């Protein structure tokens, strides 16, 4: 805007900013401070703790009954494998949808767009039953398996990512791959050697967003995983708080802080990329 | 020079044909097993996938589909199929006690055994190998020893004196282990075919026989130990005295699941309340979050310190949603939360964010605004950048105030860009299970409902509770029927979304 701020407007703006910042930041500060608070229960939780301690963290990580480090490992493993598969499948599919002419392409685009807006999780009763049936034949793909969870993540992430990447490839001049193919390159070589290097920014963006989404997922992981050593950290935190929310608040907060760190750090270092990815996806549509 | 025409015997074609043959064989194998177990819908889906894969392998015009094969197959199996399968399930009685298909139920019932009178009994010693498999050493009345394992016949074995400490890598259980593992051991069937031995007690093992006889034509089971006849009643083999065999199986029940709630005010009234709250919740969440996001993007653009303000306001964005919900659960805790304590301190009383219906709803929308305004802030920032600057200058020359040019220029342009995302966000929040389940699981509960429902339930958390709550019996068929109704509601939003999408029209 080109308007100038009058002093009164400026004061009002800062006042509003202050209110919003308190809203945004206090929960964040509070959880960090209580995680270092010696008082273990919610009753003793204060914004400024009286005695600082690392006790909550050490108790969380050394507990015999909680498998916290295993949950973290599960989350990392599942998200990392999912991201690799999501990227590979998305990029290859998007290239074909952008570059090739073939029968049924419009129908496929329509299906992808419908799947993109239709919340597939509504079908969770049937999904649960399907995974149970598949598990009867292919044990590593069934209920309570990481294989099954990854399969659902990968197929669920398809539509939105294909739309983003296909849109991006559409903006790259087709002459680029065509001239390579005139010189004898196959479509695969044209894709891998010419187009893939150009679309690297969007690939990194969808990889980061997919990592954040799978790592933070609660609904599908909670539906599928049951065993204490199978669950992800999000399901673990949820189950833990179901049992002893008030009295073990200190450990709960330590767990939530550790669980939040990986994506927070990832976001911090890739902020520009993520935000511009979201914006370009939104504004183009 | 070679000619351009390739014969059918070229190595490339041979490879394709071999691949297609292998796929067909594997697919037929899988479909055979699925049909054998009565899983018709899944068998249909797998058949379709195999046919698709074979076609794209052999038909040259379908080559581009090879690039899409993995993605399409996964999307169809794990996303499209469950949607269709929900519709299928809504016409069945699938529920606790009816979770398996008929062939599966028959197989499980026929696997049950009993010990008739006058059968050989044995004394026994158990052995276990490192992978947990069992071996049983049994001695008959004449003290002759046999080695018997699950799935293989009785094998005579020479045992002079005490039982050996190990056989073929299986280790003998000592008396303490024997007692500890007795429970697991009694569930193992040793032997093969009709020659089965099970452990009866710490001293004896005995030959057992299948307990039930199946009459396929009549669809009845006969208990051979009592002679009692069990006939099929709605997917459960039931005797005339009302005893039932477990498990029962899934049968089609027509539109019963639908009539159970569609003609029933006991369901319709509370479901109506849920739907109204569900719509209000999504609408207010989206509107308030969008308004705040827009305000941040617009108001703090050119004030001193705007970078810092924006950096602080984006903080909630990267925190995993469930973590934020847990934090708010602590902040709003009725007895000890920071916010409740503070309000208590200032006003002398604090709202009950968990037990009071209106305050619980308020809290949920508040948390959702916390979770989603940063996203809209990012989007609005991007959308604002695409509004041409010179329009504002022209408006200013014409004497428009800042508010007027915002109303007349900025808002309509931003709305037009962001409308699809607002609808998408509405439809996402309409099914925001994580928030409800993480915060209060739909509580406080409604009074006197037929099935447990809560005042802050969304349709999706209600369906989840119907299907998976541990407190009551799971009722998949019924929750599938309610899901189908929800499909129709959400389908309406999807329709508007897709119809407006430009990218489809532009697709080459």
């Amino acid at each position: 805007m080109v308007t100038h701020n009058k002093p009164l407007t400026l004061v009002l703006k800062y006042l509003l900013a202050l209110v919003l910042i308190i809203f945004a930041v206090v929960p964040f500060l509070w959880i960090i401070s209580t995680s270092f608070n010696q008082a273990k229960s919610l009753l003793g939780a204060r914004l400024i703790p009286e005695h600082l301690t690392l006790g909550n963290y050490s108790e969380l990580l050394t507990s015999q009954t909680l498998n916290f480090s295993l949950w973290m490992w599960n989350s990392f493993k599942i998200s990392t494998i999912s991201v690799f598969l999501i990227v590979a499948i998305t990029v290859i599919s998007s290239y074909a949808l952008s570059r090739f002419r073939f029968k049924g392409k419009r129908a496929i685009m329509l299906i992808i767009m419908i799947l993109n807006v239709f919340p597939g999780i509504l079908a969770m009763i049937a999904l649960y039953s399907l995974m149970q049936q598949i598990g009867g034949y292919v044990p590593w793909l069934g209920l309570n398996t990481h294989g099954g969870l990854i399969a659902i993540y990968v197929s669920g992430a398809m539509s939105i990512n294909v739309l983003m990447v296909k849109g991006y490839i559409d903006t790259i001049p087709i002459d680029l791959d065509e001239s390579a193919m005139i010189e004898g390159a196959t479509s695969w070589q044209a894709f891998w050697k010419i187009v893939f290097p150009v679309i690297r920014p969007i690939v990194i963006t969808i990889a980061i967003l997919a990592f954040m989404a799978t790592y933070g997922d609660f609904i599908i992981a909670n539906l599928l995983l049951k065993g204490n050593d199978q669950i992800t950290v999000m399901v673990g935190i949820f189950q833990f708080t179901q049992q002893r929310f008030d009295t073990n608040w200190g450990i709960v907060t330590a767990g939530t802080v550790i669980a939040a760190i990986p994506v927070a750090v990832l976001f911090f270092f890739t902020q520009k990329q993520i935000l511009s990815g979201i914006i370009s996806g939104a504004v183009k549509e | 020079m070679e000619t351009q025409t390739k014969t059918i015997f070229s190595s490339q074609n041979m490879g394709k044909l071999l691949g297609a043959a292998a796929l067909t064989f594997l697919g037929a194998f899988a479909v055979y097993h699925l049909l054998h177990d009565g899983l018709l819908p899944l068998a249909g889906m797998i058949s379709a996938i195999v046919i698709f894969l074979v076609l794209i392998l052999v038909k040259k015009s379908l080559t581009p589909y090879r690039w899409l094969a993995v993605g399409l197959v996964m999307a169809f199996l794990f996303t499209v199929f469950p949607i269709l399968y929900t519709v299928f399930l809504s016409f069945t009685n699938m529920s606790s006690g009816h979770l398996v298909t008929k062939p599966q139920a028959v197989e499980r019932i026929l696997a049950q055994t009993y010990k008739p009178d006058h059968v050989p009994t044995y004394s026994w010693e158990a052995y276990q190998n490192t992978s947990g498999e069992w071996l049983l050493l049994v001695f008959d009345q004449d003290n002759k020893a046999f080695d018997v394992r699950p799935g293989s016949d009785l094998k005579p074995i020479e045992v002079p004196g005490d039982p050996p400490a190990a056989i073929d890598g299986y280790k003998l259980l000592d008396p303490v282990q024997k007692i500890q593992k007795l429970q697991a051991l009694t569930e193992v069937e040793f032997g093969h075919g009709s020659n089965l031995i099970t452990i009866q007690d710490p001293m004896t093992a005995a030959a057992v026989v299948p307990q039930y006889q199946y009459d396929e034509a009549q669809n009845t089971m006969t208990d051979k130990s009592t002679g009692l006849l069990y006939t099929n009643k709605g997917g459960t083999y039931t005797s005339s005295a009302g005893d039932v065999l477990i498990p029962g199986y899934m049968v089609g029940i027509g539109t019963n699941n639908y009539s159970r709630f569609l003609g029933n005010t006991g369901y319709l009234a509370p479901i109506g309340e849920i739907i109204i709250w569900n719509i209000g919740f999504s609408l207010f969440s989206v509107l308030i979050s969008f308004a705040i996001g827009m305000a941040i993007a617009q108001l703090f653009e050119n004030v001193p310190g705007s970078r810092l303000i924006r950096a602080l306001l984006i903080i909630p964005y990267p925190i995993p949603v469930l973590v934020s919900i847990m934090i708010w659960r602590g902040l709003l805790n009725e007895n000890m939360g920071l916010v409740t304590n503070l309000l208590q301190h200032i006003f002398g009383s604090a709202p009950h964010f968990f037990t009071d219906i209106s305050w619980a709803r308020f809290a949920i929308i508040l948390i959702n605004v916390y979770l989603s305004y940063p996203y809209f802030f990012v989007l609005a920032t991007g959308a604002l950048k695409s509004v041409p600057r010179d329009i504002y200058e022209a408006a200013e020359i014409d004497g428009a105030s800042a508010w007027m040019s915002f109303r007349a220029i900025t808002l309509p342009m931003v709305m037009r860009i962001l409308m699809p995302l607002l609808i998408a966000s509405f439809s996402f929040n309409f099914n925001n299970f994580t928030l409800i389940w993480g915060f209060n699981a739909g509580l406080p509960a409604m009074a006197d409902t037929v099935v447990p429902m809560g005042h802050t339930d969304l349709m999706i958390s209600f369906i989840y509770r119907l299907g998976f709550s541990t407190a009551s019996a799971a009722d998949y068929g019924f929750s599938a029927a309610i899901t189908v109704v929800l499909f129709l509601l959400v389908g309406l939003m999807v329709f508007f979304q897709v119809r407006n999408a430009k990218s489809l029209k532009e697709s080459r």
Side-chain angles (χ1 to χ4, degrees):
Chain A
M1 291 282 264
V2 270
T3 49
H4 300 284
N5 289 301
K6 293 178 194 128
L8 181 64
T9 331
L10 204 60
V11 169
L12 284 176
K13 280 187 179 180
Y14 279 128
L15 219 59
L16 180 66
L18 187 69
V19 172
L20 287 173
I21 287 171
I22 289 173
F23 179 56
V25 176
V26 163
F28 172 77
L29 292 179
W30 183 65
I31 200 77
I32 291 180
S33 103
T34 47
S35 73
F36 291 108
N37 192 341
Q38 207 172 30
K40 285 198 185 328
S41 84
L42 188 50
L43 190 61
R46 291 195 171 72
L47 205 49
I48 299 129
E50 284 158 5
H51 303 282
L52 287 177
T53 170
L54 282 173
N56 291 323
Y57 287 93
S58 64
E59 198 175 331
L60 174 77
L61 295 173
T62 55
S63 159
Q64 297 294 316
T65 50
L66 294 173
N67 267 336
F68 192 79
S69 20
L70 184 63
W71 298 343
M72 286 295 285
W73 164 245
N74 288 344
S75 284
F76 265 106
K77 187 181 83 178
I78 291 167
S79 300
T80 309
I81 297 174
S82 302
V83 165
F84 271 101
L85 294 175
I86 287 170
V87 166
I89 293 174
T90 306
V91 169
I92 294 172
S93 310
S94 307
Y95 180 78
L97 285 168
S98 172
R99 292 305 198 232
F100 300 153
R101 286 158 180 276
F102 55 94
K103 247 170 104 177
K105 184 163 133 181
R106 266 186 69 88
I108 293 202
M109 283 308 292
L110 183 66
I111 291 171
I112 288 176
M113 298 205 53
I114 292 176
L115 290 182
N116 182 36
V117 277
F118 193 91
I121 195 59
L122 276 182
M124 58 185 171
I125 302 280
L127 183 65
Y128 184 85
S129 173
L130 169 72
M131 298 316 279
Q132 198 167 34
Q133 292 170 4
I134 291 180
Y137 305 93
V138 191
W140 56 270
L141 211 54
L143 284 182
N144 202 22
T145 64
H146 294 167
L149 187 62
I150 291 170
I152 297 176
Y153 283 159
V154 172
S155 53
M158 257 273 288
S159 53
I160 173 74
N161 290 325
V162 164
L163 288 178
M164 277 177 78
V165 177
K166 179 193 174 280
Y168 197 92
I169 299 179
D170 283 344
T171 63
I172 300 168
I174 197 162
D175 316 359
L176 229 59
D177 358 358
E178 273 171 357
S179 61
M181 279 156 89
I182 287 167
E183 281 166 33
T186 61
S187 342
W188 176 260
Q189 286 164 337
F191 158 70
W192 185 243
K193 297 243 171 74
I194 312 283
V195 174
F196 187 73
V198 182
I199 61 170
R200 198 166 285 161
I202 190 87
V203 170
I204 294 171
T205 306
I206 64 162
I208 296 165
L209 289 175
F211 187 90
M212 288 174 74
T214 50
Y215 181 88
D217 169 70
F218 168 69
I219 179 164
I220 303 171
N222 180 55
L223 182 70
L224 239 64
L225 304 178
K226 295 289 172 250
N228 190 41
D229 44 7
Q230 291 292 319
I231 55 179
T232 62
V233 70
M234 292 303 148
V235 181
I237 286 175
F238 176 75
Q239 288 186 357
F240 181 49
T241 53
Q242 291 309 94
Q243 296 152 11
R244 29 200 159 170
F245 189 73
D246 299 349
T247 48
N248 274 348
W249 182 244
I251 302 179
V252 171
T253 54
T256 54
V257 169
I258 295 181
I261 286 174
V263 281
V265 169
L266 185 66
F267 179 80
F268 183 78
F269 283 110
T270 56
Q271 214 180 114
K272 273 218 171 88
Q273 187 114 30
I274 297 175
L275 299 184
S276 67
I278 296 172
I279 289 173
S280 70
V283 175
K284 202 163 31 202
E285 256 185 77
Chain B
M1 287 286 270
E2 270 185 352
T3 50
Q4 285 290 313
T5 30
K6 286 179 182 166
T7 65
I8 192 156
F9 297 109
S10 77
S11 62
Q12 205 189 352
N13 270 348
M14 283 301 279
K16 277 185 201 168
L17 288 176
L18 275 177
L23 260 171
T24 314
F25 179 76
L26 273 176
F29 180 75
V31 170
Y32 169 79
H33 276 278
L34 291 169
L35 286 177
H36 178 262
D37 289 340
L39 299 168
L40 264 71
L42 188 55
M45 187 73 223
I46 300 288
S47 310
I49 288 176
V50 171
I51 292 170
F52 167 71
L53 290 176
V54 169
L55 276 181
I56 63 173
L57 199 55
V58 296
K59 278 199 76 169
K60 201 154 185 196
S61 64
L62 296 179
T63 318
Y65 278 97
R66 287 186 209 165
W67 295 62
L68 301 167
V70 181
L72 280 182
V73 166
M74 290 191 74
F76 269 86
L77 187 55
F78 294 106
T79 313
V80 177
F81 179 74
I83 295 171
L84 302 176
Y85 192 48
T86 304
V87 180
F88 175 87
L89 287 180
S90 73
F91 295 105
T92 72
N93 67 343
M94 192 189 203
S95 55
S96 309
H98 299 273
L99 289 173
V100 295
T101 62
K102 185 175 167 193
Q104 290 170 328
V106 168
E107 194 179 312
R108 285 192 207 174
I109 291 170
L110 291 183
Q112 294 168 24
T113 55
Y114 79 113
K115 181 179 99 58
D117 302 334
H118 319 300
V119 288
T121 57
Y122 307 88
S123 61
W124 60 274
E125 293 296 340
Y127 293 76
Q128 194 173 26
N129 69 7
T130 44
S131 41
E133 291 163 336
W134 299 105
L135 180 154
L136 203 62
L137 182 66
V138 292
F139 300 89
D140 68 9
Q141 252 76 354
D142 308 326
N143 217 18
K144 265 196 259 168
F146 299 90
D147 158 343
V148 55
R149 310 171 192 195
S152 54
D153 284 319
L154 243 67
K155 198 172 70 188
I157 178 175
E158 285 301 322
V159 179
D162 287 337
I167 303 176
D168 297 352
Y170 291 78
K171 281 209 184 98
L172 177 67
L173 297 194
D174 63 40
V176 178
Q177 289 171 327
K178 227 172 133 172
I179 299 303
Q180 280 170 348
K181 300 194 172 174
L182 190 65
Q183 180 62 34
L185 273 165
T186 53
E187 283 159 17
V188 183
E189 287 182 341
F190 297 91
H192 167 70
S194 54
N195 294 315
L196 295 175
I197 291 179
T198 62
I199 289 165
Q200 304 293 322
D201 58 53
M203 304 304 293
T204 44
V208 290
V209 295
Q211 187 169 1
Y212 299 99
Q213 187 162 16
Y214 178 48
D215 182 338
E216 200 172 344
Q218 300 293 321
N219 195 17
T220 57
M221 289 279 178
T222 309
D223 185 337
K224 289 195 285 192
S225 64
T226 59
L228 221 56
L229 183 75
Y230 292 81
T231 52
N232 168 35
K233 286 217 170 59
T236 311
Y237 291 109
T238 314
S239 74
S240 52
D243 294 326
V244 297
L245 299 187
I246 290 173
Y249 57 90
M250 206 164 124
V251 291
I253 53 168
T255 55
N256 278 10
N257 287 323
Y258 292 91
S259 45
R260 219 173 115 187
F261 67 93
L262 283 179
N264 184 339
T265 44
Y267 279 107
L268 283 185
I271 287 179
E273 191 193 325
I274 291 178
I275 289 181
I276 290 170
W277 151 242
N278 204 148
I279 294 172
F281 156 76
S282 325
L283 201 65
F284 283 118
S285 297
V286 173
L287 289 182
I288 300 173
S289 309
F290 172 68
I292 294 182
M294 187 76 204
I296 296 171
Q298 173 90 7
L299 294 178
F300 306 139
E301 199 187 18
N302 60 347
V303 298
S306 82
R307 280 177 69 95
L308 178 68
I309 294 175
R310 286 153 175 253
L312 288 173
L313 289 179
I314 199 90
I315 280 179
Y317 184 72
I319 300 174
V321 168
L322 188 84
V323 167
S324 295
I325 296 168
M326 293 299 135
I327 298 174
W328 279 99
R329 244 172 82 174
L331 284 170
L332 300 182
N333 185 286
E334 294 200 348
N335 306 315
M336 307 175 257
L338 182 74
V339 172
T340 28
N341 280 352
L342 198 69
L343 294 175
Q344 181 81 40
H345 201 74
I346 301 172
F347 300 108
S349 75
H352 298 283
F353 289 113
F354 288 84
T355 44
D356 183 283
I357 299 166
S358 307
W359 281 111
R361 290 177 172 173
F362 171 84
I364 285 170
I365 293 179
L366 179 83
I367 298 170
N368 207 18
V369 167
Y370 176 84
L371 296 173
S372 29
Y373 84 82
Y375 173 69
F376 285 108
F377 158 44
V378 172
L379 290 183
T381 310
L384 280 176
K385 283 200 183 114
S386 68
V387 181
R389 300 275 116 177
D390 41 0
I391 301 185
Y392 292 118
E393 283 157 24
E396 207 175 10
I397 293 166
D398 288 345
S401 71
W403 172 245
M404 275 162 70
S405 63
F406 175 78
R407 278 278 309 271
I409 304 169
T410 315
L411 199 59
M413 291 190 86
V414 169
M415 286 292 275
R416 204 171 59 214
I417 296 170
L418 295 185
M419 204 55 196
L421 292 159
L422 289 174
I423 302 177
S425 176
F426 180 87
S427 128
F428 168 82
N429 279 308
F430 196 84
N431 304 295
N432 196 336
F433 174 82
T434 304
L435 173 55
I436 301 299
W437 210 252
F439 184 65
N440 64 358
L443 294 173
M446 292 185 190
D448 306 324
T449 48
V450 198
V451 287
M453 298 183 192
H455 286 286
T456 60
D457 258 330
L458 302 182
M459 286 303 282
I460 192 159
S461 59
F462 167 55
I463 290 171
Y464 180 86
R465 191 180 306 105
L466 265 183
F468 302 111
S469 159
T470 43
S472 56
D475 201 339
Y476 293 167
F478 184 54
S479 30
I482 296 178
T483 307
V484 170
V485 174
L486 198 53
F487 280 171
L488 299 178
L489 282 176
V490 176
L492 220 65
M493 299 178 218
V494 170
F495 176 75
F496 286 118
Q497 273 280 81
V498 173
R499 202 185 56 171
N500 291 333
K502 265 185 286 173
S503 30
L504 188 66
K505 294 170 199 150
E506 284 165 3
S507 104
R508 274 178 278 175

